[in-house]
Amino acid sequence: MTLEILSENKSHGGTQGVYSHASAETGTAMTFSVYVPPHESGAKLPVLWYLSGLTCTHANVTEKGDYRAACAQHGIVFVAPDTSPRGPDKNGDDVPDAEGEYDFGKGAGFYVDATQAPWAGHYRMRSYIERELPEVLAANFPVDLARQSITGHSMGGHGALTLGLRNPDRFRSISAFSPIVAPSKVPWGEKALGRYLGSDPKAWREYDAVALVEDGAAHPHILIDQGTADPFLDEQLQTHRFAGACDAAGIDARIRMREGYDHSYYFISTFLAEHVKWHAGWLG
Amino acid sequence: MTLEILSENKSHGGTQGVYSHASAETGTAMTFSVYVPPHESGAKLPVLWYLSGLTCTHANVTEKGDYRAACAQHGIVFVAPDTSPRGPDKNGDDVPDAEGEYDFGKGAGFYVDATQAPWAGHYRMRSYIERELPEVLAANFPVDLARQSITGHSMGGHGALTLGLRNPDRFRSISAFSPIVAPSKVPWGEKALGRYLGSDPKAWREYDAVALVEDGAAHPHILIDQGTADPFLDEQLQTHRFAGACDAAGIDARIRMREGYDHSYYFISTFLAEHVKWHAGWLG
């Protein structure tokens, strides 16, 4: 579990790092970023996971997210994984990709463990983030894995909601920006889940926040911010489906429609510090 | 003076825009970004200029600067110009460039009006920022040009100091991150000033903050942040030269050496909100 340091920069009194390691789950090198705020020697800090959207890597939020001031203030470690396996596997072969498709393959892992060829061998972002990366964190950073929360954007909002709803004891709070809440029902999700998981939609339900709620999953602390000027709202995001499922299940999710905001990091960076503060309230 | 909107995104209650216009000074299209914070209709807001460093465009600080929350809080318009002319001029010819040289030509205008061929025709960043762009701002944005301040990074810190020291009545306060304070004495500056302005160092003095102070320029409100882990500090930046010149001239500049910080936007974004707040105090 050797960690390669790609970069470390002092920021807001702490360290913003970018790291690479050999992942057993994906069979490739995986890159991720970690911000460790200023802290007392020997302290173990709570963790906020941030899962990114289609076409993104760790870099988008790391450069554009404006989260470090808030994480420094609240003493929270911020972890941003990549969105898919990339590059050569351990045999030197490149991982399968869907060339020219921004919404499938590299940069579009959808936080699933694929079951279908040729994706099943490497596209294991669920297990990578649920199981492997937490161990890497614990071995290398001053983290307290008894205190974790999760957030994300778009496809990563889908990731945050589904990981959080499947693991309510692990994540104390869940938030999302512009999440894909019902991938089974929208073009991005139908394409990705169908090809990663096969054509039977029953296999998709554990990767669909609305379906998880319909099937009994719940969490007491859910926060969603969604821009009203988001060009993907009507076709791909359909926030109302999650609001409806939570209403039907008696889940008190806080869903805020943000007037005039779009799908970009100009939106995310407006409210990410507020999300950090909200999570900090549950992380103690 | 038609302005082309390249993008506008709502952020922190205001609008982050990127614009292009035909510049008479450079003879090319010029791109710049403007953040307009939320404000009452009809209000005219103070302006903070941000001049960028070598290789940068408007985009670096716009994406990585973390300034919008502070500008929204203090009601300040934030303007980030490009660092040189680029692209075809009005005759369709590309502007001269020094291919393969990151520190001269495109991306490296050094905020001078070049006098030497082939640069003199287009490399007029001093007049562009001192004269032309303020008129474009006044005609298109809710700004009060009686209230302006200026900041910048590295080559742009040099730009902020020299523009500010030459125009103390126009800029109420001057700040800089990691500025090149004495370009006449360091490799980046000797190369750029020599080729843009000719070999006589007398012609360089109005573009050298230390020389300007030696020649009698002054300003009551100067703030500099410089990281101690900046790899360019010893050879190119030499902050101590400006501290010495200010001491000799009786100028009370506030120069802070920031322990462990480097030359990157991880450093700038740590302190830019604080600079915005400091300028806001002088902008009223």
Side-chain angles (χ1 to χ4, degrees):
Chain A
M1 206 183 289
T2 309
L3 207 59
E4 182 186 356
I5 300 171
L6 301 184
S7 65
E8 284 187 336
N9 301 81
K10 187 170 179 181
S11 196
H12 289 280
T15 302
Q16 178 63 62
V18 180
Y19 307 93
S20 176
H21 70 116
S23 165
E25 289 292 350
T26 68
T28 66
M30 290 294 288
T31 300
F32 62 97
S33 78
V34 179
Y35 178 67
V36 177
H39 61 280
E40 290 185 16
S41 178
K44 298 285 189 182
L45 307 175
V47 176
L48 178 60
W49 295 82
Y50 179 96
L51 305 184
S52 295
L54 288 169
T55 76
C56 291
T57 69
H58 71 281
N60 304 66
V61 72
T62 305
E63 297 178 353
K64 302 179 183 179
D66 292 18
Y67 57 83
R68 280 177 287 271
C71 287
Q73 184 183 346
H74 297 287
I76 290 175
V77 170
F78 189 98
V79 183
D82 203 347
T83 53
S84 77
R86 298 175 196 269
D89 65 16
K90 61 193 169 185
N91 301 317
D93 300 323
D94 203 0
V95 301
D97 191 18
E99 293 220 4
E101 301 178 49
Y102 75 95
D103 56 358
F104 190 75
K106 286 185 193 173
F110 267 85
Y111 306 102
V112 305
D113 284 349
T115 58
Q116 306 297 301
W119 316 103
H122 299 288
Y123 283 76
R124 297 183 52 77
M125 291 301 291
R126 172 187 181 164
S127 289
Y128 173 68
I129 291 171
E130 276 189 351
R131 287 208 303 265
E132 185 175 24
L133 194 50
E135 293 174 14
V136 174
L137 276 185
N140 293 281
F141 298 91
V143 294
D144 173 11
L145 293 188
R147 292 184 289 160
Q148 297 182 67
S149 291
I150 192 164
T151 186
H153 172 235
S154 195
M155 175 182 76
H158 145 75
L161 289 170
T162 54
L163 264 84
L165 286 165
R166 287 197 309 264
N167 301 281
D169 295 337
R170 174 175 159 199
F171 297 105
R172 294 195 182 182
S173 46
I174 308 168
S175 78
F177 295 86
S178 334
I180 305 169
V181 300
S184 307
K185 308 292 186 192
V186 302
W188 277 342
E190 288 173 331
K191 172 179 179 175
L193 300 183
R195 288 167 74 178
Y196 286 133
L197 303 173
S199 57
D200 181 358
K202 283 201 208 78
W204 305 359
R205 295 188 70 81
E206 62 184 329
Y207 297 113
D208 182 306
V210 166
L212 282 164
V213 168
E214 289 171 352
D215 293 348
H219 199 290
H221 309 305
I222 298 175
L223 169 64
I224 292 175
D225 272 322
Q226 172 62 53
T228 62
D230 187 325
F232 302 112
L233 176 55
D234 290 344
E235 185 179 13
Q236 305 281 8
L237 306 178
Q238 303 195 354
T239 320
H240 68 276
R241 288 183 182 269
F242 191 71
C246 287
D247 280 349
I251 295 174
D252 185 23
R254 189 169 166 201
I255 300 174
R256 305 186 291 197
M257 300 305 290
R258 295 293 198 172
E259 186 62 32
Y261 286 93
D262 60 25
H263 201 69
S264 73
Y265 270 90
Y266 295 111
F267 163 55
I268 299 169
S269 64
T270 298
F271 298 108
L272 185 48
E274 196 180 319
H275 281 230
V276 169
K277 183 181 176 185
W278 181 80
H279 287 293
W282 305 115
L283 289 167
Chain B
M1 208 182 286
T2 309
L3 208 61
E4 183 186 356
I5 300 171
L6 301 183
S7 64
E8 286 188 335
N9 301 81
K10 186 170 179 181
S11 195
H12 289 281
T15 301
Q16 178 63 62
V18 180
Y19 307 93
S20 177
H21 70 117
S23 165
E25 290 291 349
T26 68
T28 65
M30 289 294 288
T31 300
F32 62 97
S33 78
V34 178
Y35 177 67
V36 177
H39 61 282
E40 290 185 16
S41 179
K44 298 284 188 182
L45 308 175
V47 175
L48 179 59
W49 295 81
Y50 180 97
L51 304 185
S52 294
L54 287 169
T55 77
C56 290
T57 68
H58 71 282
N60 303 65
V61 72
T62 305
E63 296 177 352
K64 302 178 182 179
D66 293 19
Y67 58 82
R68 279 176 288 271
C71 287
Q73 185 184 345
H74 297 288
I76 290 176
V77 170
F78 189 97
V79 182
D82 202 347
T83 54
S84 77
R86 298 174 195 271
D89 65 17
K90 59 193 169 185
N91 301 317
D93 299 325
D94 205 359
V95 300
D97 190 19
E99 293 220 3
E101 300 178 50
Y102 76 95
D103 55 359
F104 190 75
K106 286 186 193 171
F110 267 85
Y111 307 102
V112 305
D113 284 349
T115 58
Q116 306 298 300
W119 316 105
H122 298 288
Y123 284 76
R124 298 184 52 78
M125 292 301 291
R126 172 188 179 163
S127 289
Y128 173 68
I129 291 172
E130 277 189 350
R131 287 209 302 264
E132 184 174 25
L133 194 49
E135 293 172 14
V136 175
L137 277 184
N140 292 280
F141 298 91
V143 295
D144 173 12
L145 293 188
R147 292 184 288 160
Q148 298 183 66
S149 291
I150 192 164
T151 185
H153 172 236
S154 196
M155 176 182 75
H158 145 73
L161 290 171
T162 54
L163 265 83
L165 286 165
R166 286 198 309 265
N167 301 280
D169 295 336
R170 174 174 158 198
F171 297 106
R172 295 197 181 181
S173 47
I174 308 168
S175 78
F177 295 86
S178 333
I180 305 169
V181 300
S184 307
K185 309 291 187 192
V186 302
W188 277 342
E190 288 173 331
K191 172 179 179 176
L193 299 184
R195 288 167 75 179
Y196 286 132
L197 303 173
S199 57
D200 180 359
K202 284 200 208 77
W204 307 358
R205 295 186 72 79
E206 61 185 329
Y207 297 112
D208 181 306
V210 166
L212 281 165
V213 168
E214 289 171 353
D215 293 347
H219 199 290
H221 309 305
I222 299 175
L223 169 65
I224 292 176
D225 273 321
Q226 172 62 55
T228 63
D230 187 324
F232 303 110
L233 176 55
D234 291 343
E235 186 179 14
Q236 306 280 9
L237 306 178
Q238 303 196 357
T239 321
H240 69 276
R241 288 183 182 269
F242 191 73
C246 287
D247 280 349
I251 294 175
D252 185 24
R254 191 168 165 200
I255 301 174
R256 307 186 290 199
M257 300 304 290
R258 296 293 198 173
E259 185 63 33
Y261 286 93
D262 60 25
H263 200 69
S264 73
Y265 271 90
Y266 295 112
F267 164 53
I268 300 168
S269 64
T270 298
F271 298 108
L272 184 47
E274 197 180 318
H275 281 229
V276 170
K277 183 181 174 184
W278 181 80
H279 287 292
W282 304 115
L283 290 167

